[in-house]
Amino acid sequence: MDGKADLHMHSTYSDGALSPGDVIVKAKEAGLQTISITDHDSVGGLEETLALGKQYEIEVVPGVELSATLNDHEIHILGYFMDHHNKVLLDSLAGFREERMRRAERIVNKLNKMNIPLSMESVLANVGSDCVGRPHIANALVNEGHAEDYHQAFRKYIGDGKPAFEKKNCFSPEATVRLISDAGGLSFLAHPGKSVSEEFLIQLINAGLDGIEVVHPSHTFNLVQYYRGIVSEYCLLESGGSDFHGGKKGDDNILGQYTIPTAAVEMMRHRLFSN
Ligand code: AMP
Ligand code: FE
Ligand code: FE
Ligand code: ZN
């Protein structure tokens, strides 16, 4: 019988609240058979997650979530099954994390200019590893009493287009897809419903995507049907998951609710080995 797979979640190696071990325990409780921890710009937790997967008898697909710039707009690309020892991949990820650090400094500077005395130290105190993101800045803003809650921090200050927002400098979608495929992996456009019009979607498919993240909490039922149609029209693969961040954003009970059948993961493997 088909099991359930959730191929999008985060750990303390990026902006998730839980360690890979705690994520796996939750995934097991939620009845998931296959998972992928897709930390932003980091495969630092992967070795540990693969070992824990064996221990808890959960299949772990190596994963990562990368940011790319399309027409001055940030999109996210999920990489699966890549070789996480690939040198070019590891060097690029380290570079992306450095840019995240520089960008966090740019955001903190903007906040300081707005008379919000937030320090980089208080931001970094929230970071579990070496991959800083806006969620860590949001937590610091809340902890220091500058925002009432996590979501307000985004709405008031650091959400897209808000006064203290700063872009990250990212690769193009083509270069991002190539980075993943050169490391032997497959690339999927993450949560297109959040960020991508149909015109851009076709542009991205032409950039060499292997598939689309069809199932995601930000997608309505109709949107899921729509992306499933695109997947079949362009002979792409389907992915999906919860984008679980470990309860940080009120997503405590999300595991098990946004899944794809394990047969979809098998189709990814077929695509990999038939290339
Ligand atoms: P970053 O990669 O540093 O730009 O941070 C992006 C992450 O911040 C996303 O993966 C979300 O988890 C979170 N995020 C972005 N915008 C919002 C928002 N408006 N409200 C809550 N969380 C957000
Ligand atoms: Fe995130
Ligand atoms: Fe994302
Ligand atoms: Zn994510």
Side-chain angles (χ1 to χ4, degrees):
M1 208 193 70
D2 241 0
K4 291 199 284 186
D6 178 338
L7 299 190
H8 191 158
M9 36 183 92
H10 296 274
S11 80
T12 42
Y13 282 88
S14 63
D15 57 4
L18 304 180
S19 67
D22 290 340
V23 172
I24 293 234
V25 169
K26 284 234 173 208
K28 189 85 188 172
E29 283 168 6
L32 295 170
Q33 188 171 316
T34 304
I35 65 156
S36 184
I37 296 187
T38 48
D39 275 314
H40 298 280
D41 299 329
S42 175
V43 290
L46 200 47
E47 216 55 66
E48 186 181 337
T49 311
L50 288 167
L52 287 160
K54 286 205 181 92
Q55 191 182 325
Y56 285 91
E57 295 180 341
I58 283 195
E59 180 189 25
V60 174
V61 171
V64 70
E65 182 171 11
L66 304 180
S67 304
T69 307
L70 172 70
N71 304 334
D72 216 28
H73 195 79
E74 187 180 310
I75 58 152
H76 290 174
I77 294 179
L78 294 158
Y80 297 127
F81 293 105
M82 60 289 151
D83 168 15
H84 60 285
H85 300 294
N86 180 285
K87 171 122 179 34
V88 177
L89 176 67
L90 289 174
D91 288 349
S92 301
L93 294 178
F96 299 155
R97 294 195 298 273
E98 280 164 21
E99 166 60 10
R100 281 179 166 279
M101 185 66 94
R102 289 190 294 268
R103 182 262 209 147
E105 281 163 0
R106 296 198 293 272
I107 292 179
V108 166
N109 278 336
K110 273 195 165 173
L111 287 166
N112 293 165
K113 287 204 178 110
M114 294 166 68
N115 286 326
I116 295 156
L118 195 78
S119 65
M120 264 313 273
E121 288 70 35
S122 65
V123 171
L124 295 178
N126 289 288
V127 179
S129 178
D130 62 347
C131 186
V132 62
R134 280 182 290 163
H136 303 113
I137 301 175
N139 287 334
L141 282 166
V142 175
N143 294 343
E144 308 275 309
H146 304 299
E148 278 167 30
D149 61 47
Y150 181 87
H151 291 282
Q152 198 206 33
F154 277 93
R155 274 199 312 275
K156 254 178 113 170
Y157 302 117
I158 61 172
D160 292 27
K162 300 296 175 184
F165 175 70
E166 276 285 315
K167 286 179 180 162
K168 299 195 284 275
N169 291 310
C170 307
F171 281 8
S172 68
E174 287 80 4
T176 308
V177 167
R178 203 172 323 118
L179 183 65
I180 295 166
S181 65
D182 284 353
L186 298 171
S187 46
F188 289 72
L189 179 61
H191 43 68
K194 270 190 183 177
S195 52
V196 183
S197 67
E198 177 150 348
E199 181 196 346
F200 286 1
L201 185 59
I202 306 307
Q203 211 176 318
L204 284 161
I205 293 169
N206 290 330
L209 282 176
D210 296 290
I212 295 176
E213 183 176 53
V214 170
V215 174
H216 185 271
S218 65
H219 292 171
T220 59
F221 177 80
N222 285 343
L223 217 43
V224 170
Q225 299 305 316
Y226 168 71
Y227 289 125
R228 217 161 252 155
I230 300 268
V231 160
S232 101
E233 187 179 342
Y234 289 88
C235 296
L236 299 170
L237 293 160
E238 168 173 342
S239 183
S242 63
D243 212 345
F244 178 62
H245 280 72
K248 238 184 204 170
K249 300 189 301 188
D251 62 359
D252 313 50
N253 299 315
I254 214 171
L255 285 185
Q257 290 190 44
Y258 296 91
T259 63
I260 51 167
T262 46
V265 183
E266 279 315 303
M267 285 177 69
M268 294 180 193
R269 282 215 175 75
H270 280 291
R271 184 73 59 100
L272 272 177
F273 297 130
S274 61
N275 279 342

